[in-house]
Amino acid sequence: MPHDHPHGPSIDPERLARYQNLATAVSELLIEKSVISSTEMDVAIKKMEGRGPALGARMVARAWSDPAYKTSLLSDGSAAAEQLKIPVDGTRLIVVENTKEVHNLIVCTLCSCYPRNILGLPPRWYKSKPYRARAVKEPRNILKEFGTIIPNTVTIRVHDSTADMRYMVLPARPLNTKNWDEEMLAKLVTRDSMIGVTTALDAYE
């Protein structure tokens, strides 16, 4: 697929190390000037690192249960997140739905743009060069490596995230969950299913 939106330039290891040293220096200065304490900084870092996909799973479960919310989610993901008091910090969130005809896969080809507020930290493989390249060129093969076999009758669409625009997949609701409540449904939703590399085993049966 064409890459028709701007990204920042790729960062080489030496340049990244300089940025990391600069971040450390700024952090130490903020602590020295009593702008923030080391304890507060540690808490903030642990909170960020501890974020998981629970907020995204909550959005998916609500969409599976509430047709009106699903319509809102697919129309404006950011607004739908805020309906559930989930902050998106100004990022445009686009939610794409898996159906019997279409399976969606998310990637960021030149960096690792990712909806961290909703899905937590990105997995290591999402940031790797092989995934970023192959997801576009051979998405069906990538999915097979995750154990996800998509029938040839199903179209695979690859969506490329950017610095100010993030994608999230609304997985197909598993069968035999008609009377399940949102809490039960949320337990079926994984980070990988919201990236699109996995899906419910019965989604296309």
Side-chain angles (χ1 to χ4, degrees):
M1 62 179 288
H3 190 85
D4 57 359
H5 55 258
H7 280 263
S10 298
I11 300 176
D12 61 54
E14 290 186 3
R15 187 178 178 190
L16 178 59
R18 290 198 297 273
Y19 287 146
Q20 291 172 332
N21 291 335
L22 178 60
T24 298
V26 170
S27 299
E28 291 175 350
L29 181 61
L30 291 173
I31 293 171
E32 181 182 335
K33 298 294 184 181
S34 299
V35 175
I36 187 172
S37 70
S38 59
T39 299
E40 290 172 328
M41 186 167 291
D42 287 342
V43 169
I45 291 172
K46 288 180 179 178
K47 182 178 180 181
M48 180 177 294
E49 291 178 343
R51 284 176 179 167
L55 295 179
R58 181 182 168 204
M59 293 168 63
V60 170
R62 176 65 61 86
W64 284 348
S65 305
D66 183 344
Y69 182 78
K70 176 180 177 180
T71 297
S72 175
L73 183 66
L74 296 174
S75 175
D76 187 335
S78 299
E82 290 169 356
Q83 284 182 41
L84 300 184
K85 302 189 183 304
I86 298 173
V88 292
D89 296 337
T91 299
R92 182 186 178 196
L93 178 66
I94 298 176
V95 180
V96 289
E97 181 184 13
N98 282 352
T99 67
K100 291 182 178 180
E101 292 78 31
V102 175
H103 180 89
N104 298 281
L105 179 64
I106 310 305
V107 69
C108 182
T109 53
L110 293 186
C111 47
S112 56
C113 296
Y114 183 84
R116 295 175 181 235
N117 281 7
I118 295 172
L119 300 187
L121 295 177
R124 186 180 300 274
W125 52 260
Y126 182 85
K127 299 182 286 184
S128 71
K129 288 183 178 180
Y131 174 78
R132 284 154 41 201
R134 295 180 60 220
V136 173
K137 296 178 181 177
E138 46 180 320
R140 204 172 290 272
N141 288 337
I142 281 284
L143 291 171
K144 286 181 181 179
E145 292 173 13
F146 280 89
T148 304
I149 308 300
I150 304 299
N152 291 331
T153 55
V154 176
T155 299
I156 298 177
R157 292 179 181 164
V158 180
H159 304 271
D160 196 357
S161 294
T162 71
D164 57 1
M165 181 174 67
R166 306 286 195 271
Y167 285 95
M168 184 182 92
V169 174
L170 173 60
R173 179 171 178 167
L175 303 176
N176 303 317
T177 60
K178 182 177 180 180
N179 297 318
W180 291 29
D181 62 24
E182 287 185 29
E183 184 176 354
M184 295 170 65
L185 290 170
K187 293 178 180 179
L188 300 178
V189 185
T190 65
R191 175 201 65 194
D192 289 0
S193 70
M194 291 182 283
I195 298 174
V197 293
T198 64
T199 186
L201 295 178
D202 57 5
Y204 300 112
E205 292 181 358

